[in-house]
Amino acid sequence: MKSTQLHKPLISIAMCTYNGREFLEEQLDSIVSQTLAEWEIIIVDDCSSDETRTILNAYAERDVRFKVYSNDQNLGYNKNFEKALQLCQGTFIAICDQDDIWRKDKLEVQFNAIGDNQLIYHDSEFINQSGAPLDYRMSDKFNFYRGSDPEVFLYFNCVSGHSIMLKSVVVKAALPFPEDFHYDQWLAYNATLLGSIDFVNQPLVRYRQHQNNKTDVLALRSVSKSADRKIVELRKESEWLLLCSEKATGKSKYLITKLYNLSLLRNKSFASVAYGMVIWANKDTLLRLLKKSTISKFFFTLRKIWGSQAKKLI
C-alpha cells in the first residue's frame, strides 16, 4: 500500500538516472530512511537500457513521494538535471546522484543549517565501487567556501551537485543551464549572486567513485591531453568567463569582464602576462578553493598565461 498522500512537499529531491541498476537501490533505501520525512523525490531517467526504470517504478508503487519520469530521448547529464530541477515543487531542493549513499540525517541537517543562505552544501566521504572507504574527503581536495563572492567559482568548484540543498529561486535564476559546463558550479555561482552560501563541515554522503562517474573528481580516468584539446579548453574558459560576466553586477562584473577580455587576448597570442597578473593580484578570491601551497598557486597562474601558441610549447 502506498504511503499517505503529500499535498505540499517541504523538500524536493532531484535525481537523474541512467543505467544505474548496480547501485540504485542502496541509494534509494538511504533516502527512504531519512529522519526528515516531508519530501518528494523527482527522478528523471535518461533512456536507461538496463533495469533502472523497473527499480524506480517498484519504489514509486510503494511510496507516493516518488515521482518518476522517463525521457523520450537522451538529454545528457546537465540538461537532464535542468529538467529534474524544474519539475521540483518544493521551496527547498536537494540534489541526488544515483550511486551514492546518504547519511540518515542528511536532509534534516541541511534544512536546519540553510537559514538565510541561498545554498548549503556539505563534506563527503569517498568510497570505492564496492562501498569501502577511501580515507579521503572532499574537504581534503578543496578549501570549502562560505560567503557571497561569485568570483570564487570562476576557476574551481568545491560545491558538488550531490551535496547541494538550495532554494528554488536559485534554480530559476540559473536557467537555462549552459551547455558543456558543470551545472553544480553554475548553481553555486548563481547562488552567490543572489546572496550567500554556507557548508556543513560533516560528511553527509558516501560519495562512490568508479569508472562511470560523470565527474572524475579523483582523476580515475585521467589521460594526457593533446595540444589541440588544451586549446579547446582555453576557448571554453573564455566562454565560461563571458557567461559569468553577463550575470554579474558591480565590482564582480568589472573584474570578471576584465578577465574575459584578457583571456581573449591570451587565446590569440603567445601569452598574456596581464591575464596572469590580474589572477595573481586577486588570488585570495580567485584561487581560494585551491588547496595548494602559494608556490603551486603561482605555477597555476603561470599556466593561465599561455595562449593559443601553447601547442608549440609541447
Side-chain angles (χ1 to χ4, degrees), residues 99-116:
D99 46 11
D100 301 329
I101 306 169
W102 282 16
R103 208 172 83 174
K104 288 186 177 182
D105 59 349
K106 170 181 157 64
L107 287 181
E108 185 175 7
V109 169
Q110 286 192 277
F111 177 72
N112 290 336
I114 193 168
D116 294 330

Side-chain angles (χ1 to χ4, degrees), residues 140-165:
D140 294 325
K141 185 174 179 66
F142 295 106
N143 291 317
F144 281 3
Y145 173 73
R146 55 167 55 97
S148 55
D149 293 326
E151 305 97 296
V152 168
F153 295 101
L154 292 183
Y155 298 111
F156 299 98
N157 180 37
C158 63
V159 181
S160 297
H162 72 272
S163 73
I164 290 174
M165 178 181 286

Side-chain angles (χ1 to χ4, degrees), residues 128-139:
N128 66 16
Q129 182 159 333
S130 300
L134 295 174
D135 298 321
Y136 195 72
R137 294 183 178 183
M138 191 69 71
S139 57

Side-chain angles (χ1 to χ4, degrees), residues 147-260:
S148 55
D149 293 326
E151 305 97 296
V152 168
F153 295 101
L154 292 183
Y155 298 111
F156 299 98
N157 180 37
C158 63
V159 181
S160 297
H162 72 272
S163 73
I164 290 174
M165 178 181 286
L166 47 66
K167 295 177 179 176
S168 59
V169 64
V170 178
V171 175
K172 294 176 183 177
L175 294 173
F177 290 4
E179 297 280 357
D180 299 323
F181 296 103
H182 296 299
Y183 81 90
D184 46 10
Q185 187 171 1
W186 182 241
L187 287 173
Y189 178 80
N190 277 272
T192 56
L193 291 175
L194 293 173
S196 61
I197 69 171
D198 202 350
F199 65 88
V200 175
N201 195 23
Q202 302 175 49
L204 301 181
V205 162
R206 282 182 277 169
Y207 185 30
R208 198 184 305 268
Q209 298 298 291
H210 53 88
Q211 291 297 321
N212 294 323
N213 283 117
K214 291 297 183 182
T215 304
D216 190 19
V217 177
L218 295 184
L220 299 178
R221 303 188 299 273
S222 289
V223 294
S224 59
K225 297 175 182 177
S226 68
D228 288 339
R229 178 59 186 166
K230 290 178 181 178
I231 292 170
V232 169
E233 289 184 354
L234 293 175
R235 292 170 181 163
K236 281 190 65 177
E237 181 179 295
S238 296
E239 292 174 15
W240 170 252
L241 291 171
L242 176 60
L243 283 168
C244 292
S245 69
E246 290 173 341
K247 300 275 289 187
T249 59
K251 293 181 179 179
S252 295
K253 187 175 186 68
Y254 174 80
L255 174 59
I256 300 171
T257 301
K258 186 174 184 178
L259 288 167
Y260 165 66

